[in-house]
Amino acid sequence: MKQMSIRALSLIAFTVVFVIGIFSLTYLSMTRGDDWTSFPANRHIYKDGVMVNAGDITDRFGTVLATTENGQRIFNDDYYTRLSTLHAVGDFNGFIKTGLATAKWDKLTGYNKITGLYDAKKGGNNIKMTISADLNTVALKALGNYSGAVGVYNYKTGEMLCMVSSPSYDPNEKNEETDGIYINRFLSSSYPPGSTFKVVTTIAALETLPDAESREYDCDYGTYVDGELISCMSKHHTVNLRDALAKSCNAYFSQLAIDLGADTMQKYADKLGFNTPAEIDGITAKAGTVDLDKIRKVDLGWAGMGQYTDLANPLQYLTLMGAIAGGGKAAKPYMIDSITTVEGIEIYRGGVSYTERMFSESTATAVHAMMRNCVTSNYGDYRFPDLNVCAKTGTAEVDQGVTPHSWFVGFVENNDCPLAFVVVAENAGAGVGVARTVANKVLQAAKQIV
Ligand SMILES: [Zn+2]
C-alpha cells in the first residue's frame, strides 16, 4: 500500500512536469521559433552556413542584387553594385544584422509561424527595394577612401533612393572583419553631429522664444562662460539667428542654448528624434543621444552646437531633414517597395506614412529659409547646379589631434525634386569640403531618377 502511493505520487509528479514541459515548449516555439529556424545550423534554410532557396532582392528598377541559382546565393555581376548595395541587401551568412538577408530572412525564405517552412520548399518571396543600385554606386565612389554613410530619400513619398555605408566589401570574396565592415553606418552608427546640431538649437529657439529671430549675441572669436572659453573660428561681432546659422557661429549658439536652458534643449532634442531609435521597415537603427542631465553651464553651451556628448544617427537625421522640408512632420523613410511570392502574388507594399508633428509649420518655414540662406550666402549656390539646396554643414570634433568628421545635411527646395539627404564622412575635415562635394555628386545623380 505504501509502495503504491509512492508510485502514484511519482506518476502525478511526472505528469505535472510533463504538462509544464509541453506548455513551455509551445510557448518557446511561438516566441523563439523564428530564432531557431533562422539558426545557421538549420539545413532546410542553410547549406554550409549560407542561406539557400531565398527569393530575389531587386532595386527600384528591377536590377537583381541577390538571387538563388542551383542552391547557391548569387550577387550582382557588377563589382561596384555588389559593394554599394551590400549593407542594404545584407550578406547570406548573417554578419550584417540590418541587411534584408538577415533582418527579413523569414520573408525571403517564405517562413511562416504557423506553417513553418512548408512554403519555403517552393522558393522564397522576392523583395523589391526602393533604392537605386546606380545611385548607391555614385555615392560609394564619391566617398572614395573615407568611411561614412550617405542617405537620400524622397521627402514626399518616404522612398529611400540611396543608402550607402563605407567601407564595404565584396560578398563574393572571403573577408576579414576590419574597420567595422559588417556595420551599416547609416543605420547602426551614431556620430558627434558638430554644427549640424545648430539646426536643433534653432528649432528649440523658434518654438519657445518669441524674439528668437531678432535675438542677438556677441562673438569675439568665441565667448567666455564661467571663465571658460567656447571658441569660434572668427570674430562675428553682433549676430542674429539667421546670420549665426549661416556663419556657424559657436559663440551665438552656445549662449542661445544656455539661455534656452537644459530642460528646453532636452525636450526639443527628444522631440526631434534623439534618444529613441529610429526604425525603417521594422529594422531598428541605433539611437542618437543627447543627455543634458545635471550639466554644467559651459557644457550646455558645447552641447547646443553638437559637441559635449551629443551623438546623431544618420537615419534619424534624414528624418529630421524630411520634417523641415515637410512643414514640421516627416514622411517616414522606407526601403521595401514590395514583397511578392514565387507565384507573383503581392503580399506587401510599402507606402507613405508620417511621423508625429515635431514642430510647427511656421518654425519649419523659418528654418527652411535659414538653411537656404546658409547655401546662398555661405556654401555657394553655384556648387549645386540646377538644385535649390537648403543645408547645414558640420565639422564634428572627435578626439584631440584627430581630423574631425565632415557632415552635410539638408534637402532640395523643389516640388519636382523632393530630395532630403545626409552625408557623413569620417575624419574628412570641414563639412563644407568633402561631405558637401559628396552631397552634390549624389544629388545630381538622384535628380535624374526621382
Ligand atoms: Zn562666432
Side-chain angles (χ1 to χ4, degrees), residues 13 27 45 61 71 109 128 132 237 246 257 265 270 367 395 399 427:
Y27 172 75
I45 294 185
F61 299 116
T109 57
K128 182 181 177 187
S132 155
H237 303 281
M265 284 298 298
D270 291 347
V367 184
T395 307
D399 291 316
N427 311 116

Side-chain angles (χ1 to χ4, degrees), residues 219 232 234 236 249-251:
C219 168
C232 194
S234 287
H236 292 119
C249 177
N250 290 348

Side-chain angles (χ1 to χ4, degrees), residues 37-55:
T37 318
S38 67
F39 189 67
N42 185 341
R43 293 187 172 267
H44 295 290
I45 294 185
Y46 293 91
K47 188 180 166 207
D48 301 328
V50 175
M51 189 188 281
V52 294
N53 222 23

Side-chain angles (χ1 to χ4, degrees), residues 198 218-223 230-237 239 244 247-253:
K198 288 170 183 163
D218 293 328
C219 168
D220 182 5
Y221 292 100
T223 187
I230 292 181
S231 59
C232 194
M233 61 291 232
S234 287
K235 181 171 181 164
H236 292 119
H237 303 281
V239 271
K247 292 171 179 164
S248 209
C249 177
N250 290 348
Y252 188 97
F253 280 94

Side-chain angles (χ1 to χ4, degrees), residues 246-264:
K247 292 171 179 164
S248 209
C249 177
N250 290 348
Y252 188 97
F253 280 94
S254 52
Q255 292 174 85
L256 179 60
I258 290 165
D259 283 353
L260 284 164
D263 290 350
T264 301

Side-chain angles (χ1 to χ4, degrees), residues 60-319:
R60 65 186 291 109
F61 299 116
T63 301
V64 178
L65 306 175
T67 186
T68 305
E69 264 176 43
N70 304 322
Q72 294 289 320
R73 289 304 294 177
I74 310 278
F75 291 89
N76 190 282
D77 285 344
D78 181 70
Y79 173 75
Y80 278 107
T81 300
R82 289 197 297 277
L83 259 67
S84 70
T85 60
L86 178 68
H87 292 91
V89 168
D91 65 309
F92 285 86
N93 304 90
F95 294 133
I96 300 171
K97 300 295 177 206
T98 56
L100 294 189
T102 299
K104 300 292 171 189
W105 71 271
D106 53 342
K107 300 288 185 299
L108 280 167
T109 57
Y111 171 79
N112 172 307
K113 262 191 172 46
I114 310 298
T115 59
L117 283 166
Y118 175 77
D119 289 331
K121 291 189 183 114
K122 294 184 287 185
N125 303 313
N126 299 319
I127 298 183
K128 182 181 177 187
M129 300 190 77
T130 60
I131 62 166
S132 155
D134 288 346
L135 187 58
N136 266 28
T137 296
V138 169
L140 186 70
K141 286 182 174 174
L143 274 172
N145 290 327
Y146 292 109
S147 297
V150 179
V152 179
Y153 96 125
N154 180 322
Y155 60 73
K156 287 195 187 294
T157 65
E159 293 164 279
M160 284 296 297
L161 301 174
C162 172
M163 180 175 71
V164 159
S165 176
S166 179
S168 187
Y169 65 92
D170 187 349
N172 284 353
E173 305 287 336
K174 286 232 175 300
N175 290 281
E176 299 289 323
E177 187 180 1
T178 52
D179 303 323
I181 54 173
Y182 299 136
I183 295 170
N184 181 344
R185 284 163 154 78
F186 181 77
L187 298 179
S188 304
S189 287
S190 57
Y191 296 97
S195 295
T196 58
F197 192 84
K198 288 170 183 163
V199 171
V200 174
T201 306
T202 298
I203 292 170
L206 288 166
E207 290 275 283
T208 52
L209 303 173
D211 69 340
E213 293 198 56
S214 59
R215 188 173 273 248
E216 294 179 330
Y217 292 102
D218 293 328
C219 168
D220 182 5
Y221 292 100
T223 187
Y224 280 90
V225 179
D226 293 340
E228 289 185 45
L229 176 69
I230 292 181
S231 59
C232 194
M233 61 291 232
S234 287
K235 181 171 181 164
H236 292 119
H237 303 281
T238 304
V239 271
N240 63 20
L241 182 58
R242 174 184 142 104
D243 290 343
L245 192 71
K247 292 171 179 164
S248 209
C249 177
N250 290 348
Y252 188 97
F253 280 94
S254 52
Q255 292 174 85
L256 179 60
I258 290 165
D259 283 353
L260 284 164
D263 290 350
T264 301
M265 284 298 298
Q266 185 72 61
K267 178 181 157 191
Y268 281 93
D270 291 347
K271 273 186 94 160
L272 302 187
F274 287 90
N275 301 316
T276 305
E279 207 179 71
I280 182 163
D281 295 302
I283 301 168
T284 306
K286 186 173 183 180
T289 48
V290 171
D291 180 4
L292 309 178
D293 193 31
K294 300 187 184 72
I295 194 169
R296 294 190 312 150
K297 212 168 157 186
V298 63
D299 289 333
L300 180 57
W302 286 109
M305 51 190 217
Q307 296 295 158
Y308 186 56
T309 59
D310 298 350
L311 292 171
N313 167 263
L315 173 62
Q316 173 226 328
Y317 247 28
L318 186 66
T319 311

